[in-house]
Amino acid sequence: MPSSWKSLLVCLLSGRATLALQSQNDTFNSTFRLTAQQISTANLSAATTHNVEVALQYERSNNAGSLVQNEPFYIVPDHYNLNDLPPPGTILKVEAHTNLTLYTIPNSLSLSRFLYVSESYNGTSLPASLRLHPLAPLYPVVALAHGTSGQTQACAPSGLRNLWDHFNEPFPLALQGYAVVTPDYAGLGVPNVTSPYFVFPAQANDLFHAVAAAQSEWPSLLSREFVVAGQSQGGGVAWAAAQRQYSRPVKGYLGTMAASPFTDALAAIAADSGIENNGRVSGIAQGLASVLPGFQMSDWLTTLGVARWNLIHEIHGCGTTSGQLAAAESGALPILKEGWNETWSADWFRKATMNGGKPFAGPMLVIQGTEDGNANEPTTSRSINQTCELFPESQLQYIRFENITHVPVLLAGQHTWLGWNHDRFAGVAVPEGCTQQTLSPPRGINGAASAGWSSATWFVEYNLYGI
């Protein structure tokens, strides 16, 4: 594998646009090129044009088989009326045995995919897709909320070779004997649905209805009990699910694990001075109208910002591509409007998506890296403290991992959260009250684990050669 491939991953995951990206060298590479019209409309420099093309090629090379937007599996059967769907939790289509030769899943696991009916933020039914990783009966169920893969139809983790979060979450859970029920958030996978990105209560609906759908399809294989888990965006979804469980209890719920969760998303964005600010806000803006009547992207984004997000949808780009389009170039026009965060819609968004300071159904474990520059530790700690002050009898355990960043907290704390999951199914009692602790590595920390928000020094590659 050429060294340029590693450089590509490091550059893309860090979200920088200052270096020219190098295309991967294998037969799965795309030959995508932007048109002159697309380049002109989105006001792309030659450097950004190059990086967007390579980023999209990288994303497309990670698809399992065909591109998500071209795969018949994600099309809702004709006999269902999208304006009059069955109740949430209903199965629409089942692929009981997904072809694993297209994936990079550990060969001891199996994969099933299905379409089901979920529920929007406003309570209407909408179709969504889901994947399930069973191991050995009877499978204890973990409802897993995934981190940000993107906001377009093409970004469904169920259509990616490594299922997006790979050895960070779904693989270790499945290898420990759990059935991992992990939905593609509505708008990812199934066409003609807009993703209400970072509207955590909407994705919490996806999670609960996915569990109900899976349990109805395999009642003799899946436990009625389940644990909720998630990291990053998924951590925000997991916390929102615990708040939903308080007001809309679902039988079988055993608790929630939220890793590096977004609690006050706008506060976390304000604390980030990098391009995550542009990308995160733009991602929220592109889907907010689907849950907030009267909102338009142009309320938050400049003409350039709107043009770039229209381009992302046109070319079916995901997180890597949007990171390149959101990157601020020297002397470039802004993507976000000044004062976007002081609008009525920003106020609505903050109140609607706030995690913390609200009652929730425990027990809940929250793990957080102290050096997280994405879902930053001060914001998470503030939400924890507010919740514990208002609800001192909550079953809330908060663990900070020193010198650890955003995604690596899952690896640093793997023994902790996997053990916590095991205890929930084992019926281990959790005392009332809030507990907080900070864990420090006794031999220091590898510099790679504390640099950047992802800090991945490895990736899961498709085996082209059968070795």
Side-chain angles (χ1 to χ4, degrees):
M1 179 58 62
S3 60
S4 60
W5 179 227
K6 291 186 179 180
S7 298
L8 169 68
L9 265 291
V10 172
C11 188
L12 292 182
L13 290 175
S14 69
R16 305 291 181 187
T18 55
L19 299 177
L21 304 183
Q22 299 301 311
S23 181
Q24 66 169 319
N25 183 24
D26 66 38
T27 57
F28 289 88
N29 197 10
S30 162
T31 57
F32 173 83
R33 292 292 182 270
L34 291 165
T35 67
Q37 181 64 46
Q38 290 170 330
I39 294 169
S40 173
T41 301
N43 193 22
L44 304 181
S45 67
T48 299
T49 297
H50 169 79
N51 286 354
V52 167
E53 289 174 346
V54 174
L56 194 69
Q57 290 166 5
Y58 161 67
E59 289 177 344
R60 292 186 171 193
S61 74
N62 288 329
N63 282 100
S66 63
L67 302 178
V68 169
Q69 60 267 27
N70 297 335
E71 189 173 347
F73 166 77
Y74 294 98
I75 303 299
V76 176
D78 290 339
H79 56 274
Y80 290 107
N81 183 344
L82 293 182
N83 296 318
D84 187 23
L85 288 168
T90 302
I91 293 281
L92 301 177
K93 180 192 291 186
V94 177
E95 183 183 83
H97 301 285
T98 300
N99 180 6
L100 291 190
T101 64
L102 303 175
Y103 290 81
T104 54
I105 297 173
N107 55 16
S108 60
L109 304 180
S110 62
L111 173 66
S112 300
R113 300 189 302 179
F114 54 91
L115 302 188
Y116 72 106
V117 181
S118 188
E119 176 188 0
S120 73
Y121 177 87
N122 298 317
T124 58
S125 294
L126 73 171
S129 51
L130 178 147
R131 62 221 191 262
L132 168 76
H133 318 268
L135 253 180
L138 178 66
Y139 313 110
V141 173
V142 173
L144 180 63
H146 66 80
T148 297
S149 56
Q151 293 85 27
T152 74
Q153 179 194 358
C155 310
S158 65
L160 304 180
R161 296 187 191 280
N162 64 10
L163 304 178
W164 185 245
D165 287 325
H166 46 80
F167 285 101
N168 291 321
E169 289 179 286
F171 293 176
L173 282 167
L175 290 168
Q176 290 293 314
Y178 296 101
V180 184
V181 177
T182 176
D184 304 319
Y185 301 138
L188 312 183
V190 177
N192 303 317
V193 178
T194 299
S195 171
Y197 179 58
F198 256 54
V199 181
F200 304 126
Q203 283 100 54
N205 288 340
D206 294 338
L207 209 58
F208 279 102
H209 294 309
V211 170
Q215 289 172 331
S216 69
E217 181 66 19
W218 291 285
S220 62
L221 294 179
L222 304 184
S223 68
R224 304 307 297 176
E225 296 76 26
F226 64 97
V227 165
V228 171
Q231 186 268 340
S232 189
Q233 178 188 0
V237 173
W239 193 319
Q243 293 176 165
R244 181 189 192 275
Q245 177 68 15
Y246 178 85
S247 58
R248 298 176 60 183
V250 175
K251 289 184 178 180
Y253 171 85
L254 298 178
T256 290
M257 188 287 291
S260 42
F262 280 88
T263 54
D264 183 344
L266 294 194
I269 289 168
D272 180 13
S273 59
I275 67 162
E276 282 294 319
N277 193 317
N278 281 346
R280 188 82 67 199
V281 175
S282 300
I284 294 168
Q286 64 80 40
L288 197 54
S290 67
V291 296
L292 181 59
F295 178 80
Q296 300 180 62
M297 270 199 299
S298 57
D299 292 346
W300 290 8
L301 306 186
T302 63
T303 300
L304 176 64
V306 171
R308 293 204 171 180
W309 274 85
N310 286 339
L311 177 60
I312 290 171
H313 282 273
E314 181 181 340
I315 64 178
H316 299 282
C318 294
T320 307
T321 300
S322 64
Q324 298 306 313
L325 283 168
E329 298 176 288
S330 177
L333 297 172
I335 288 176
L336 306 182
K337 280 187 172 179
E338 187 173 350
W340 69 268
N341 56 331
E342 299 173 355
T343 60
W344 68 274
S345 48
D347 183 60
W348 180 93
F349 173 81
R350 186 173 188 270
K351 291 176 181 176
T353 64
M354 180 69 70
N355 288 321
K358 300 177 183 179
F360 68 92
M364 181 161 68
L365 168 68
V366 178
I367 63 173
Q368 173 74 42
T370 62
E371 302 306 307
D372 192 332
N374 198 357
N376 63 81
E377 183 270 334
T379 301
T380 301
S381 293
R382 186 165 57 249
S383 299
I384 291 284
N385 292 333
Q386 182 184 25
T387 303
C388 291
E389 181 178 348
L390 293 173
F391 310 101
E393 296 182 354
S394 299
Q395 296 170 297
L396 177 56
Q397 181 182 5
Y398 181 40
I399 303 178
R400 288 182 293 264
F401 289 82
E402 278 199 331
N403 300 320
I404 297 295
T405 56
H406 190 61
V407 177
V409 75
L410 286 168
L411 302 179
Q414 187 178 96
H415 64 291
T416 299
W417 60 267
L418 283 177
W420 187 89
N421 280 358
H422 176 272
D423 287 348
R424 301 290 71 76
F425 288 100
V428 176
V430 178
E432 291 185 349
C434 295
T435 64
Q436 298 191 30
Q437 66 181 129
T438 300
L439 299 181
S440 302
R443 299 183 62 193
I445 188 70
N446 185 316
S450 59
W453 68 267
S454 176
S455 313
T457 56
W458 52 274
F459 61 93
V460 181
E461 179 189 2
Y462 187 79
N463 184 357
L464 296 173
Y465 312 108
I467 57 176

